Amino acid sequence: MKYLYYPGCSLKGTNRAYEESVLASFRALDIEIEELEDWNCCGATAYMAVDEMKSFALAARNLALAERQAPDHPTLMAPCSGCYLVLSKTQHYLEEYSEVSRTIDGALQAARLSYARQVHVRHPLDILIHEIGVQQISSKVRQPLRGLKVACYYGCQIVRPYAAFDDQVNPKTMDHLMRTLGAETVDWPLKTRCCGGSLMGTLPEVGVPLSYILLKEALKRGADVVATACPLCQFNLECYQDKMSRQFKERLEIPVVYFTQLLGLALGVPERQLGMHRLLVPFTLPAARGGARVHA
Amino acid sequence: MKEWQSWPRFRYEAELDLRFPEEVASMPGGRALFACIQCGTCSGTCPLAMYMDYSPRKIIAMTRAGFKDEVLHSFTIWLCASCYACAVECPRKIKITDFMAELKQRAIQEGVDPKRFPVSVLAREFFKAVRKRGRSTESRLVLRLYAKTNPLKILDQALLGLKLLRTGRFSLHAESVKNRQQIDQILRAVDAAKATAFVDKLARDVRREVAHT
Ligand code: SF4
Ligand code: SF4
Ligand code: SF4
Ligand code: SF4
């Protein structure tokens, strides 16, 4: 089975390590993926704020292209939470509201496209746990993440409100995956609490404390690393640590990686292929550290 | 400022805009507005409530009562991070997040969104970029955002920019789809459909008025 891959703008830009690690770890698992040809930005929450119908129309073009590219079993994998949400939401609205359905079909027609509602939008976590399965994954682990304590951060938008693949309040798929890879997962209640999203860039006075709370709690619970499943979450939690330290007058440092980077490491993929060199707060596996924990 | 001066001004019913709740409720799923029981669960769940001028529960109540000006001028709608925490907890299954988005759209349409407030500036810049190229490039958006709101902030972020540059995460190359024409056709068609719907609604309203007189 081949999956179509929808990168979204973020995975081609500042957060390309997510793309690199998704591609490399899926390759290591022999899962075939193919990029959606000529995809466009899904519209995201910011577009939704300006014109919701247009955001549905933009997302629908991607769905229509997916159907065209893989007519038999179009499954569209979207690793970015924002994209995942918008694509799922669009499908929901097409089902639920006839006026949306009519307008969007008309708009697609004007561009000689059509969408037969066949696409299945999925997050890589969903595919890994529910399609590939932990048994298959654990049989390919070459370097177990022993001794590593991971705080799994799902963010808000992959489990709320349209996703059905995990619990909305206490999701477990990433924890399950991490334990399969040999890591320990810390129990923390902030798994799905919002990191501030784009407010970090627009209103840091508000965004910084929101992300700070998450990291502080992860450290308190003894995590060595935070694993994320969304480019914006990763960016907020990693790139603003200096700012948090300044604002809260304490040195705060903890690596924040993509869950696919940890997956890749466990599968024995070379660090460079996983974009590990793009991290601002470097991360190394406990084994590679020779037992000596480097901790701030 | 004395505390009472920051309190909302009292409003007489005649000053309220009673068409406003109906307009907002015309969005998909919008009738749910009238099902709110004012339990406050949304405000209790919202991680941003403490920064908001009106809590999510109040926004729902005020929308329903016709406090159009206050609602559309509120910071609340721009602070909502679309995290959906409220929406999944609401006992009446009200899509509060979608109401916030709808109110943002209305504020922009009415031209009352805060012009130099970065949240709405970003939304509009993003919209323009995607309209033109079909894709957005974060680094370019961020630069435009700072240029339009607070150019000094670029200096504040210079160190971060440098780090991103060094790790190959900062590129100003503008991403674009190949078939830009198709994007244009789709978006134009949506505009056309909206215009038709607007004219239809107008015709219906006129007919109703005529029937009344
Ligand atoms: S949601 Fe963000 S990452 Fe996804 S396509 Fe839109 S801009 Fe790009
Ligand atoms: S946690 Fe933050 S970045 Fe992640 S989906 Fe939620 S708002 Fe977006
Ligand atoms: S949670 Fe729902 S019912 Fe309760 S106040 Fe908020 S919108 Fe109303
Ligand atoms: S969606 Fe908006 S209003 Fe609802 S909890 Fe999140 S930030 Fe608050």
Side-chain angles (χ1 to χ4, degrees), chain A residues 97-126:
Chain A
Y97 303 107
S98 55
E99 79 247 51
V100 175
S101 179
R102 230 177 306 119
T103 312
I104 298 306
D105 282 334
L108 288 175
Q109 212 170 27
R112 279 192 218 89
L113 286 169
S114 67
Y115 177 48
R117 323 288 195 256
Q118 292 303 311
V119 177
H120 193 182
V121 177
R122 303 187 78 169
H123 190 270
L125 262 177
D126 180 20

PDB file of all heavy atoms in Angstrom, chain A residues 97-126:
ATOM      1  N   TYR A  97     -22.594  19.845   5.654  1.00  0.00           N
ATOM      2  CA  TYR A  97     -23.326  21.039   5.236  1.00  0.00           C
ATOM      3  C   TYR A  97     -23.456  21.108   3.722  1.00  0.00           C
ATOM      4  O   TYR A  97     -22.471  21.270   3.012  1.00  0.00           O
ATOM      5  CB  TYR A  97     -22.642  22.291   5.778  1.00  0.00           C
ATOM      6  CG  TYR A  97     -22.508  22.267   7.275  1.00  0.00           C
ATOM      7  CD1 TYR A  97     -21.273  22.058   7.882  1.00  0.00           C
ATOM      8  CD2 TYR A  97     -23.630  22.413   8.087  1.00  0.00           C
ATOM      9  CE1 TYR A  97     -21.162  21.998   9.268  1.00  0.00           C
ATOM     10  CE2 TYR A  97     -23.525  22.356   9.461  1.00  0.00           C
ATOM     11  CZ  TYR A  97     -22.294  22.156  10.050  1.00  0.00           C
ATOM     12  OH  TYR A  97     -22.184  22.096  11.408  1.00  0.00           O
ATOM     13  N   SER A  98     -24.692  21.024   3.263  1.00  0.00           N
ATOM     14  CA  SER A  98     -24.891  20.959   1.814  1.00  0.00           C
ATOM     15  C   SER A  98     -24.458  22.250   1.130  1.00  0.00           C
ATOM     16  O   SER A  98     -23.986  22.235   0.005  1.00  0.00           O
ATOM     17  CB  SER A  98     -26.341  20.637   1.496  1.00  0.00           C
ATOM     18  OG  SER A  98     -27.177  21.581   2.122  1.00  0.00           O
ATOM     19  N   GLU A  99     -24.585  23.393   1.834  1.00  0.00           N
ATOM     20  CA  GLU A  99     -24.198  24.634   1.141  1.00  0.00           C
ATOM     21  C   GLU A  99     -22.678  24.668   0.917  1.00  0.00           C
ATOM     22  O   GLU A  99     -22.203  25.155  -0.105  1.00  0.00           O
ATOM     23  CB  GLU A  99     -24.711  25.873   1.884  1.00  0.00           C
ATOM     24  CG  GLU A  99     -23.908  26.297   3.111  1.00  0.00           C
ATOM     25  CD  GLU A  99     -24.663  26.133   4.432  1.00  0.00           C
ATOM     26  OE1 GLU A  99     -25.209  25.020   4.687  1.00  0.00           O
ATOM     27  OE2 GLU A  99     -24.699  27.087   5.207  1.00  0.00           O
ATOM     28  N   VAL A 100     -21.922  24.121   1.869  1.00  0.00           N
ATOM     29  CA  VAL A 100     -20.467  24.049   1.694  1.00  0.00           C
ATOM     30  C   VAL A 100     -20.158  23.110   0.534  1.00  0.00           C
ATOM     31  O   VAL A 100     -19.389  23.421  -0.379  1.00  0.00           O
ATOM     32  CB  VAL A 100     -19.770  23.544   2.985  1.00  0.00           C
ATOM     33  CG1 VAL A 100     -18.273  23.358   2.760  1.00  0.00           C
ATOM     34  CG2 VAL A 100     -20.026  24.491   4.141  1.00  0.00           C
ATOM     35  N   SER A 101     -20.800  21.962   0.569  1.00  0.00           N
ATOM     36  CA  SER A 101     -20.595  20.958  -0.456  1.00  0.00           C
ATOM     37  C   SER A 101     -20.865  21.520  -1.855  1.00  0.00           C
ATOM     38  O   SER A 101     -20.071  21.348  -2.780  1.00  0.00           O
ATOM     39  CB  SER A 101     -21.513  19.785  -0.127  1.00  0.00           C
ATOM     40  OG  SER A 101     -21.399  18.781  -1.070  1.00  0.00           O
ATOM     41  N   ARG A 102     -21.973  22.228  -1.987  1.00  0.00           N
ATOM     42  CA  ARG A 102     -22.339  22.789  -3.293  1.00  0.00           C
ATOM     43  C   ARG A 102     -21.319  23.822  -3.767  1.00  0.00           C
ATOM     44  O   ARG A 102     -20.838  23.769  -4.895  1.00  0.00           O
ATOM     45  CB  ARG A 102     -23.725  23.435  -3.190  1.00  0.00           C
ATOM     46  CG  ARG A 102     -24.678  22.980  -4.288  1.00  0.00           C
ATOM     47  CD  ARG A 102     -26.063  23.587  -4.121  1.00  0.00           C
ATOM     48  NE  ARG A 102     -26.658  23.354  -2.811  1.00  0.00           N
ATOM     49  CZ  ARG A 102     -27.003  24.311  -1.943  1.00  0.00           C
ATOM     50  NH1 ARG A 102     -26.804  25.576  -2.224  1.00  0.00           N
ATOM     51  NH2 ARG A 102     -27.542  24.011  -0.775  1.00  0.00           N
ATOM     52  N   THR A 103     -20.983  24.752  -2.877  1.00  0.00           N
ATOM     53  CA  THR A 103     -20.050  25.804  -3.264  1.00  0.00           C
ATOM     54  C   THR A 103     -18.696  25.219  -3.662  1.00  0.00           C
ATOM     55  O   THR A 103     -18.095  25.625  -4.651  1.00  0.00           O
ATOM     56  CB  THR A 103     -19.852  26.790  -2.090  1.00  0.00           C
ATOM     57  OG1 THR A 103     -21.127  27.153  -1.590  1.00  0.00           O
ATOM     58  CG2 THR A 103     -19.106  28.026  -2.526  1.00  0.00           C
ATOM     59  N   ILE A 104     -18.227  24.273  -2.887  1.00  0.00           N
ATOM     60  CA  ILE A 104     -16.896  23.716  -3.152  1.00  0.00           C
ATOM     61  C   ILE A 104     -16.888  22.903  -4.443  1.00  0.00           C
ATOM     62  O   ILE A 104     -15.966  23.033  -5.259  1.00  0.00           O
ATOM     63  CB  ILE A 104     -16.417  22.848  -1.963  1.00  0.00           C
ATOM     64  CG1 ILE A 104     -16.307  23.708  -0.698  1.00  0.00           C
ATOM     65  CG2 ILE A 104     -15.082  22.186  -2.274  1.00  0.00           C
ATOM     66  CD1 ILE A 104     -15.462  24.950  -0.830  1.00  0.00           C
ATOM     67  N   ASP A 105     -17.921  22.120  -4.649  1.00  0.00           N
ATOM     68  CA  ASP A 105     -17.977  21.374  -5.907  1.00  0.00           C
ATOM     69  C   ASP A 105     -17.984  22.329  -7.107  1.00  0.00           C
ATOM     70  O   ASP A 105     -17.299  22.089  -8.099  1.00  0.00           O
ATOM     71  CB  ASP A 105     -19.221  20.472  -5.949  1.00  0.00           C
ATOM     72  CG  ASP A 105     -19.023  19.214  -5.118  1.00  0.00           C
ATOM     73  OD1 ASP A 105     -17.857  18.810  -4.940  1.00  0.00           O
ATOM     74  OD2 ASP A 105     -20.023  18.638  -4.642  1.00  0.00           O
ATOM     75  N   GLY A 106     -18.728  23.407  -6.979  1.00  0.00           N
ATOM     76  CA  GLY A 106     -18.766  24.410  -8.039  1.00  0.00           C
ATOM     77  C   GLY A 106     -17.395  25.017  -8.285  1.00  0.00           C
ATOM     78  O   GLY A 106     -16.945  25.164  -9.423  1.00  0.00           O
ATOM     79  N   ALA A 107     -16.708  25.350  -7.197  1.00  0.00           N
ATOM     80  CA  ALA A 107     -15.389  25.973  -7.322  1.00  0.00           C
ATOM     81  C   ALA A 107     -14.390  25.016  -7.967  1.00  0.00           C
ATOM     82  O   ALA A 107     -13.586  25.407  -8.814  1.00  0.00           O
ATOM     83  CB  ALA A 107     -14.894  26.416  -5.948  1.00  0.00           C
ATOM     84  N   LEU A 108     -14.457  23.752  -7.597  1.00  0.00           N
ATOM     85  CA  LEU A 108     -13.538  22.769  -8.183  1.00  0.00           C
ATOM     86  C   LEU A 108     -13.832  22.623  -9.676  1.00  0.00           C
ATOM     87  O   LEU A 108     -12.930  22.534 -10.505  1.00  0.00           O
ATOM     88  CB  LEU A 108     -13.675  21.417  -7.492  1.00  0.00           C
ATOM     89  CG  LEU A 108     -13.113  21.314  -6.064  1.00  0.00           C
ATOM     90  CD1 LEU A 108     -13.431  19.950  -5.471  1.00  0.00           C
ATOM     91  CD2 LEU A 108     -11.605  21.566  -6.047  1.00  0.00           C
ATOM     92  N   GLN A 109     -15.115  22.618  -9.980  1.00  0.00           N
ATOM     93  CA  GLN A 109     -15.525  22.460 -11.371  1.00  0.00           C
ATOM     94  C   GLN A 109     -14.973  23.595 -12.230  1.00  0.00           C
ATOM     95  O   GLN A 109     -14.529  23.366 -13.356  1.00  0.00           O
ATOM     96  CB  GLN A 109     -17.043  22.456 -11.441  1.00  0.00           C
ATOM     97  CG  GLN A 109     -17.577  21.599 -12.550  1.00  0.00           C
ATOM     98  CD  GLN A 109     -19.085  21.439 -12.398  1.00  0.00           C
ATOM     99  OE1 GLN A 109     -19.754  22.319 -11.829  1.00  0.00           O
ATOM    100  NE2 GLN A 109     -19.615  20.351 -12.891  1.00  0.00           N
ATOM    101  N   ALA A 110     -14.997  24.800 -11.672  1.00  0.00           N
ATOM    102  CA  ALA A 110     -14.485  25.953 -12.407  1.00  0.00           C
ATOM    103  C   ALA A 110     -13.013  25.763 -12.761  1.00  0.00           C
ATOM    104  O   ALA A 110     -12.493  26.396 -13.679  1.00  0.00           O
ATOM    105  CB  ALA A 110     -14.673  27.215 -11.575  1.00  0.00           C
ATOM    106  N   ALA A 111     -12.328  24.904 -12.033  1.00  0.00           N
ATOM    107  CA  ALA A 111     -10.912  24.649 -12.309  1.00  0.00           C
ATOM    108  C   ALA A 111     -10.741  23.248 -12.913  1.00  0.00           C
ATOM    109  O   ALA A 111      -9.662  22.678 -12.876  1.00  0.00           O
ATOM    110  CB  ALA A 111     -10.101  24.783 -11.026  1.00  0.00           C
ATOM    111  N   ARG A 112     -11.806  22.720 -13.430  1.00  0.00           N
ATOM    112  CA  ARG A 112     -11.827  21.383 -14.050  1.00  0.00           C
ATOM    113  C   ARG A 112     -11.295  20.298 -13.112  1.00  0.00           C
ATOM    114  O   ARG A 112     -10.497  19.449 -13.497  1.00  0.00           O
ATOM    115  CB  ARG A 112     -11.037  21.382 -15.355  1.00  0.00           C
ATOM    116  CG  ARG A 112     -11.898  21.938 -16.472  1.00  0.00           C
ATOM    117  CD  ARG A 112     -11.287  21.692 -17.843  1.00  0.00           C
ATOM    118  NE  ARG A 112     -11.537  22.857 -18.661  1.00  0.00           N
ATOM    119  CZ  ARG A 112     -10.712  23.911 -18.721  1.00  0.00           C
ATOM    120  NH1 ARG A 112      -9.586  23.910 -18.057  1.00  0.00           N
ATOM    121  NH2 ARG A 112     -11.022  24.934 -19.466  1.00  0.00           N
ATOM    122  N   LEU A 113     -11.751  20.369 -11.883  1.00  0.00           N
ATOM    123  CA  LEU A 113     -11.402  19.333 -10.917  1.00  0.00           C
ATOM    124  C   LEU A 113     -12.686  18.781 -10.331  1.00  0.00           C
ATOM    125  O   LEU A 113     -13.738  19.410 -10.432  1.00  0.00           O
ATOM    126  CB  LEU A 113     -10.557  19.929  -9.781  1.00  0.00           C
ATOM    127  CG  LEU A 113      -9.105  20.285 -10.070  1.00  0.00           C
ATOM    128  CD1 LEU A 113      -8.543  21.103  -8.921  1.00  0.00           C
ATOM    129  CD2 LEU A 113      -8.261  19.037 -10.298  1.00  0.00           C
ATOM    130  N   SER A 114     -12.581  17.614  -9.716  1.00  0.00           N
ATOM    131  CA  SER A 114     -13.754  17.121  -9.002  1.00  0.00           C
ATOM    132  C   SER A 114     -13.275  16.275  -7.828  1.00  0.00           C
ATOM    133  O   SER A 114     -12.164  15.742  -7.845  1.00  0.00           O
ATOM    134  CB  SER A 114     -14.626  16.284  -9.922  1.00  0.00           C
ATOM    135  OG  SER A 114     -13.938  15.100 -10.274  1.00  0.00           O
ATOM    136  N   TYR A 115     -14.118  16.196  -6.833  1.00  0.00           N
ATOM    137  CA  TYR A 115     -13.740  15.417  -5.659  1.00  0.00           C
ATOM    138  C   TYR A 115     -14.875  14.473  -5.292  1.00  0.00           C
ATOM    139  O   TYR A 115     -15.991  14.899  -4.989  1.00  0.00           O
ATOM    140  CB  TYR A 115     -13.400  16.345  -4.487  1.00  0.00           C
ATOM    141  CG  TYR A 115     -13.080  15.585  -3.230  1.00  0.00           C
ATOM    142  CD1 TYR A 115     -12.181  14.507  -3.265  1.00  0.00           C
ATOM    143  CD2 TYR A 115     -13.660  15.910  -2.015  1.00  0.00           C
ATOM    144  CE1 TYR A 115     -11.892  13.780  -2.130  1.00  0.00           C
ATOM    145  CE2 TYR A 115     -13.370  15.196  -0.866  1.00  0.00           C
ATOM    146  CZ  TYR A 115     -12.497  14.133  -0.936  1.00  0.00           C
ATOM    147  OH  TYR A 115     -12.209  13.405   0.186  1.00  0.00           O
ATOM    148  N   ALA A 116     -14.592  13.166  -5.309  1.00  0.00           N
ATOM    149  CA  ALA A 116     -15.637  12.157  -5.062  1.00  0.00           C
ATOM    150  C   ALA A 116     -15.673  11.695  -3.606  1.00  0.00           C
ATOM    151  O   ALA A 116     -16.256  10.661  -3.298  1.00  0.00           O
ATOM    152  CB  ALA A 116     -15.436  10.976  -6.001  1.00  0.00           C
ATOM    153  N   ARG A 117     -15.023  12.457  -2.693  1.00  0.00           N
ATOM    154  CA  ARG A 117     -15.081  12.144  -1.245  1.00  0.00           C
ATOM    155  C   ARG A 117     -14.443  10.802  -0.891  1.00  0.00           C
ATOM    156  O   ARG A 117     -14.908  10.114   0.005  1.00  0.00           O
ATOM    157  CB  ARG A 117     -16.526  12.134  -0.708  1.00  0.00           C
ATOM    158  CG  ARG A 117     -17.464  13.186  -1.295  1.00  0.00           C
ATOM    159  CD  ARG A 117     -17.118  14.564  -0.784  1.00  0.00           C
ATOM    160  NE  ARG A 117     -18.182  15.526  -1.033  1.00  0.00           N
ATOM    161  CZ  ARG A 117     -18.146  16.453  -1.995  1.00  0.00           C
ATOM    162  NH1 ARG A 117     -17.124  16.524  -2.827  1.00  0.00           N
ATOM    163  NH2 ARG A 117     -19.116  17.326  -2.106  1.00  0.00           N
ATOM    164  N   GLN A 118     -13.410  10.421  -1.613  1.00  0.00           N
ATOM    165  CA  GLN A 118     -12.824   9.108  -1.389  1.00  0.00           C
ATOM    166  C   GLN A 118     -11.565   9.140  -0.520  1.00  0.00           C
ATOM    167  O   GLN A 118     -11.079   8.109  -0.085  1.00  0.00           O
ATOM    168  CB  GLN A 118     -12.442   8.462  -2.733  1.00  0.00           C
ATOM    169  CG  GLN A 118     -13.631   8.094  -3.601  1.00  0.00           C
ATOM    170  CD  GLN A 118     -14.585   7.172  -2.888  1.00  0.00           C
ATOM    171  OE1 GLN A 118     -14.180   6.171  -2.312  1.00  0.00           O
ATOM    172  NE2 GLN A 118     -15.859   7.516  -2.880  1.00  0.00           N
ATOM    173  N   VAL A 119     -11.009  10.341  -0.302  1.00  0.00           N
ATOM    174  CA  VAL A 119      -9.696  10.398   0.338  1.00  0.00           C
ATOM    175  C   VAL A 119      -9.786  10.145   1.840  1.00  0.00           C
ATOM    176  O   VAL A 119     -10.713  10.595   2.511  1.00  0.00           O
ATOM    177  CB  VAL A 119      -9.033  11.768   0.073  1.00  0.00           C
ATOM    178  CG1 VAL A 119      -7.703  11.875   0.802  1.00  0.00           C
ATOM    179  CG2 VAL A 119      -8.832  11.957  -1.419  1.00  0.00           C
ATOM    180  N   HIS A 120      -8.825   9.421   2.346  1.00  0.00           N
ATOM    181  CA  HIS A 120      -8.706   9.178   3.775  1.00  0.00           C
ATOM    182  C   HIS A 120      -7.511  10.004   4.268  1.00  0.00           C
ATOM    183  O   HIS A 120      -6.392   9.765   3.855  1.00  0.00           O
ATOM    184  CB  HIS A 120      -8.457   7.675   3.972  1.00  0.00           C
ATOM    185  CG  HIS A 120      -8.611   7.236   5.387  1.00  0.00           C
ATOM    186  ND1 HIS A 120      -8.403   5.953   5.799  1.00  0.00           N
ATOM    187  CD2 HIS A 120      -8.942   7.920   6.503  1.00  0.00           C
ATOM    188  CE1 HIS A 120      -8.606   5.857   7.098  1.00  0.00           C
ATOM    189  NE2 HIS A 120      -8.936   7.037   7.540  1.00  0.00           N
ATOM    190  N   VAL A 121      -7.776  10.988   5.111  1.00  0.00           N
ATOM    191  CA  VAL A 121      -6.694  11.826   5.619  1.00  0.00           C
ATOM    192  C   VAL A 121      -6.152  11.224   6.907  1.00  0.00           C
ATOM    193  O   VAL A 121      -6.925  10.928   7.820  1.00  0.00           O
ATOM    194  CB  VAL A 121      -7.191  13.268   5.897  1.00  0.00           C
ATOM    195  CG1 VAL A 121      -6.084  14.118   6.496  1.00  0.00           C
ATOM    196  CG2 VAL A 121      -7.712  13.910   4.621  1.00  0.00           C
ATOM    197  N   ARG A 122      -4.857  11.034   6.979  1.00  0.00           N
ATOM    198  CA  ARG A 122      -4.308  10.390   8.182  1.00  0.00           C
ATOM    199  C   ARG A 122      -3.019  11.040   8.654  1.00  0.00           C
ATOM    200  O   ARG A 122      -2.228  11.543   7.868  1.00  0.00           O
ATOM    201  CB  ARG A 122      -4.048   8.905   7.892  1.00  0.00           C
ATOM    202  CG  ARG A 122      -5.286   8.187   7.437  1.00  0.00           C
ATOM    203  CD  ARG A 122      -5.075   6.717   7.322  1.00  0.00           C
ATOM    204  NE  ARG A 122      -5.109   6.059   8.627  1.00  0.00           N
ATOM    205  CZ  ARG A 122      -5.159   4.740   8.772  1.00  0.00           C
ATOM    206  NH1 ARG A 122      -5.139   3.942   7.718  1.00  0.00           N
ATOM    207  NH2 ARG A 122      -5.201   4.205   9.963  1.00  0.00           N
ATOM    208  N   HIS A 123      -2.842  11.018   9.944  1.00  0.00           N
ATOM    209  CA  HIS A 123      -1.597  11.513  10.523  1.00  0.00           C
ATOM    210  C   HIS A 123      -0.615  10.346  10.585  1.00  0.00           C
ATOM    211  O   HIS A 123      -1.033   9.197  10.774  1.00  0.00           O
ATOM    212  CB  HIS A 123      -1.874  12.059  11.932  1.00  0.00           C
ATOM    213  CG  HIS A 123      -0.707  12.802  12.503  1.00  0.00           C
ATOM    214  ND1 HIS A 123       0.268  12.188  13.244  1.00  0.00           N
ATOM    215  CD2 HIS A 123      -0.344  14.100  12.400  1.00  0.00           C
ATOM    216  CE1 HIS A 123       1.176  13.100  13.584  1.00  0.00           C
ATOM    217  NE2 HIS A 123       0.827  14.266  13.090  1.00  0.00           N
ATOM    218  N   PRO A 124       0.691  10.608  10.437  1.00  0.00           N
ATOM    219  CA  PRO A 124       1.658   9.501  10.486  1.00  0.00           C
ATOM    220  C   PRO A 124       1.553   8.646  11.756  1.00  0.00           C
ATOM    221  O   PRO A 124       1.742   7.434  11.703  1.00  0.00           O
ATOM    222  CB  PRO A 124       3.029  10.184  10.404  1.00  0.00           C
ATOM    223  CG  PRO A 124       2.785  11.627  10.173  1.00  0.00           C
ATOM    224  CD  PRO A 124       1.329  11.868  10.033  1.00  0.00           C
ATOM    225  N   LEU A 125       1.201   9.265  12.880  1.00  0.00           N
ATOM    226  CA  LEU A 125       1.060   8.482  14.115  1.00  0.00           C
ATOM    227  C   LEU A 125      -0.018   7.422  13.954  1.00  0.00           C
ATOM    228  O   LEU A 125       0.132   6.278  14.377  1.00  0.00           O
ATOM    229  CB  LEU A 125       0.629   9.398  15.262  1.00  0.00           C
ATOM    230  CG  LEU A 125       1.684   9.924  16.207  1.00  0.00           C
ATOM    231  CD1 LEU A 125       1.048  10.857  17.212  1.00  0.00           C
ATOM    232  CD2 LEU A 125       2.418   8.795  16.903  1.00  0.00           C
ATOM    233  N   ASP A 126      -1.115   7.820  13.333  1.00  0.00           N
ATOM    234  CA  ASP A 126      -2.243   6.933  13.088  1.00  0.00           C
ATOM    235  C   ASP A 126      -1.794   5.778  12.185  1.00  0.00           C
ATOM    236  O   ASP A 126      -2.069   4.603  12.468  1.00  0.00           O
ATOM    237  CB  ASP A 126      -3.343   7.779  12.420  1.00  0.00           C
ATOM    238  CG  ASP A 126      -4.593   6.986  12.088  1.00  0.00           C
ATOM    239  OD1 ASP A 126      -4.785   5.917  12.688  1.00  0.00           O
ATOM    240  OD2 ASP A 126      -5.365   7.454  11.232  1.00  0.00           O
TER     241      ASP A 126
END
